Amino acid sequence: MDNHIKIFDTTLRDGEQSPGYSMNQQEKLQLALQLEKLGVDVIEAGFPIASDGDYETVKEIGKIIKKSSVAALCRTRREDLERAVSAVQHAAKPRIHTFIATSDIHLKYKLQQTRDEVLESAVKAVEYARSHCDDVEFSAEDASRSDPEYLIEIFTAVIEAGATTINVPDTVGYGLPWEYGELIKTLHEGIPNIDQAIISVHCHNDLGLAVANSLMGIQNGARQIECTVNGIGERAGNASLEEVVMALRTRKNSMNYTTSVNTKEIFPSSQLLAQITGKGVQPNKAIVGENAFAHEAGIHQHGVLKNPLTYEIMTPESVGLTSNRIVIGKHSGRFALCKKLEELGFYLNKEDLNTIYTRVTQLADKKKVVEDSDLINIMANSKFTTSTQQTASAVGNR
Ligand code: KIV
Ligand code: ZN
């Protein structure tokens, strides 16, 4: 089986659906170009039936994106499908992504349809989409709470109708990694025509398991992961693109897969999204949070300064940062302080370093983080042995 994993980015669709993340057309175009630079295989550009604005934006994205596929989402209704087909008409690589719920709970309360009716709508939608587009994805919404036997039946039928990707969403983020992995395995082994389509995973993060579930999905036969930059998306979000990609890259020794993502574009993509939406990233967010490559504890600082391998499992450069960050705070030691001061141009002897270290820890007790400007201030206002003082005041006065 091919070990290449397609990265399907849904930042502009599922991501944008979350409160506070809506973007205008110009912002979406800017982000789409960055996603293409990032190297994602598919950009889900929007839900054209949702609004005229969404329709126009998908259309414009289709015109400017050349390397990635551009997908438009639609329900299985004819009107939705027509709108999606029309929206991607100019795309170099168009994809129609149609979906309908398959869990009994959704059938009973939301759709008020029988399993047979849902199956019929799904097949008709895929047939229609396929008559206009070679690349058709079908999603069984709430798949993780659906009867696996029914999923086998509906996926078999839509592949027969022309679906080239079948998506298995954990729509409500309910699945546990081993359960979700088992579901993908059951589908992979149970769908007789699965050789004609690829299995996709689409996991929400309500229990913080979206990335783990996605990885279990690919371990069991899926070859496409749906995810978003910074993990944004409905409620607690979708699987985070940067976490999925860096997990695959960093743990290649355990999961031998490849992606087309240029990981150096991860941090710029994250920053662009944060800047456009005005929503920052939590500091401890894996890969792209401001503390992801920062070290404050003395023991860690000492190790990282001697060799980053001691406390870093990937390099900051690999995700597009220029370096790690040594933060001076109350947990820092003399070694890191000395290096930091040297970066600022101060070369202290042991005695002077001890003096400064005491002043810095006193400040750190009050201030949480000691900035470079604080260090310069301390240096400028301290008494040193003659040679150091010259260096300190000379640099401090610059
Ligand atoms: O979470 C979900 O089920 C979805 C589908 C529309 C793919 O976003
Ligand atoms: Zn979703």
Side-chain angles (χ1 to χ4, degrees), residues 163-177:
T164 44
T165 301
I166 53 154
N167 186 32
V168 189
D170 182 20
T171 302
V172 290
Y174 179 75
L176 297 174

Side-chain angles (χ1 to χ4, degrees), residues 12 16 21-33 57 61 272 275-278:
L12 297 173
E16 206 224 4
Y21 283 94
S22 66
M23 295 170 240
N24 64 33
Q25 183 178 109
Q26 200 254 322
E27 291 165 341
K28 282 191 168 184
L29 291 172
Q30 200 185 349
L31 201 54
L33 287 170
T57 302
I61 290 176
L272 179 63
Q275 182 213 315
I276 284 176
T277 58

Side-chain angles (χ1 to χ4, degrees), residues 13-14 169 171 202 204 234 238:
R13 199 279 298 170
D14 216 331
T171 302
H202 176 113
H204 279 268
E234 287 276 6
N238 287 63

Side-chain angles (χ1 to χ4, degrees), residues 61-297:
I61 290 176
K63 287 180 190 164
I64 59 166
I65 298 299
K66 298 290 166 237
K67 289 194 227 130
S68 313
S69 299
V70 173
L73 183 70
C74 53
R75 288 167 296 186
T76 53
R77 299 175 184 182
R78 180 56 68 93
E79 192 196 352
D80 275 43
L81 284 152
E82 283 168 359
R83 202 85 171 132
V85 166
S86 164
V88 293
Q89 64 186 296
H90 302 295
K93 296 184 191 171
R95 174 178 291 197
I96 302 296
H97 177 193
T98 185
F99 76 99
I100 191 164
T102 49
S103 65
D104 288 337
I105 198 162
H106 277 235
L107 263 60
K108 183 171 175 195
Y109 296 104
K110 191 179 82 174
L111 300 175
Q112 281 139 4
Q113 286 183 24
T114 64
R115 287 186 179 188
D116 285 346
E117 285 167 340
V118 165
L119 190 141
E120 194 188 331
S121 303
V123 168
K124 276 194 179 148
V126 169
E127 277 171 357
Y128 177 84
R130 196 52 211 268
S131 67
H132 291 84
C133 183
D134 288 342
D135 188 358
V136 175
E137 172 168 338
F138 170 75
S139 285
E141 192 191 9
D142 205 19
S144 58
R145 293 192 301 169
S146 304
D147 173 4
E149 285 306 314
Y150 180 53
L151 287 177
I152 290 179
E153 199 187 335
I154 196 164
F155 282 138
T156 305
V158 295
I159 294 173
E160 178 70 33
T164 44
T165 301
I166 53 154
N167 186 32
V168 189
D170 182 20
T171 302
V172 290
Y174 179 75
L176 297 174
W178 47 94
E179 289 171 358
Y180 189 70
E182 194 57 38
L183 174 62
I184 300 298
K185 186 168 183 232
T186 302
L187 297 173
H188 191 235
E189 288 173 356
I191 299 171
N193 49 3
I194 196 61
D195 56 315
Q196 292 162 44
I198 76 160
I199 301 180
S200 167
V201 293
H202 176 113
C203 299
H204 279 268
N205 207 28
D206 299 68
L207 294 174
L209 295 170
V211 171
N213 286 342
S214 303
L215 296 179
M216 283 303 280
I218 63 166
Q219 289 283 67
N220 286 283
R223 287 295 175 268
Q224 173 176 283
I225 298 182
E226 304 200 355
C227 47
T228 58
V229 174
N230 295 345
I232 69 169
E234 287 276 6
R235 306 179 308 280
N238 287 63
S240 135
L241 181 149
E242 56 277 5
E243 292 176 26
V244 160
V245 169
M246 290 312 288
L248 292 178
R249 182 181 151 137
T250 308
R251 295 309 313 275
K252 204 167 184 347
N253 57 346
S254 177
M255 303 176 284
N256 187 21
Y257 304 109
T258 55
T259 72
S260 300
V261 170
N262 173 4
T263 61
K264 285 190 185 333
E265 291 298 331
I266 284 181
F267 193 69
S269 306
S270 163
Q271 289 289 294
L272 179 63
L273 176 65
Q275 182 213 315
I276 284 176
T277 58
K279 299 257 180 210
V281 177
Q282 75 198 60
N284 63 328
K285 167 80 178 63
I287 321 293
V288 291
E290 69 168 321
N291 289 352
F293 293 92
H295 306 279
E296 190 200 303

